[in-house]
Amino acid sequence: MDSELIDLRTGTREVVLDLTSRCEEFVSGRGDGLLHVFVPHATAGVAILETGAGSDTDLLRVLEELLPREFAWRHRHGTPGHGRDHVLPALIPPYATVPVLDGRLTLGTWQSICLVDTNVDNPERQVRLSFLAG
């Protein structure tokens, strides 16, 4: 297995950050196998969804409705509502696996691999890309 850790800056607002081009670069020329994308953080997840047509913004709005900041979260350190960020990975897991054929991701036409980060307290993130040859 080949693996690489990439550093990202997500800033101080909630984001859906498209990682697809970084993933495409990582698997390019590698043949057949699996790409595994993992976020080693307790407050972020990885989602495969359409971006650019509003789905990314819709996702953040739905998460706010499902996990409102204004809730009596028991996990209370950080900014108000930070407890919701620790629940996020139960809904959007910190990983995704995508088949790779002939060095190319087998994503659907409108699918993108995205980091979902609602934690405004931590602007620095890492994502681990791992390739398992088939």
Side-chain angles (χ1 to χ4, degrees):
M1 180 175 72
D2 189 16
S3 189
E4 172 182 300
L5 194 62
I6 57 175
D7 295 314
L8 301 168
R9 181 156 180 80
T10 55
T12 56
R13 62 183 176 81
E14 297 182 4
V15 297
V16 175
L17 184 63
D18 192 339
L19 304 173
T20 309
S21 62
R22 295 287 297 265
C23 293
E24 288 171 337
E25 290 172 23
F26 180 71
V27 301
S28 180
R30 293 184 186 264
D32 296 348
L34 295 173
L35 169 68
H36 188 73
V37 182
F38 177 72
V39 181
H41 299 284
T43 58
V46 177
I48 297 178
L49 74 155
E50 178 181 5
T51 59
S55 297
D56 36 356
T57 302
D58 290 343
L59 175 59
L60 293 175
R61 288 182 60 207
V62 166
L63 288 173
E64 182 60 38
E65 289 184 28
L66 290 173
L67 304 170
R69 287 203 179 276
E70 303 301 320
F71 181 78
W73 299 103
R74 289 179 177 246
H75 188 109
R76 291 199 172 112
H77 78 272
T79 57
H82 178 64
R84 76 185 284 260
D85 302 327
H86 285 274
V87 175
L88 173 83
L91 299 176
I92 300 176
Y95 58 87
T97 301
V98 178
V100 176
L101 295 175
D102 197 26
R104 298 182 64 175
L105 299 172
T106 60
L107 294 169
T109 302
W110 305 112
Q111 289 181 316
S112 296
I113 302 168
C114 299
L115 170 68
V116 180
D117 186 4
T118 60
N119 183 354
V120 299
D121 294 336
N122 187 355
E124 306 290 330
R125 294 297 184 169
Q126 293 184 317
V127 175
R128 179 165 297 282
L129 305 179
S130 299
F131 181 76
L132 181 61

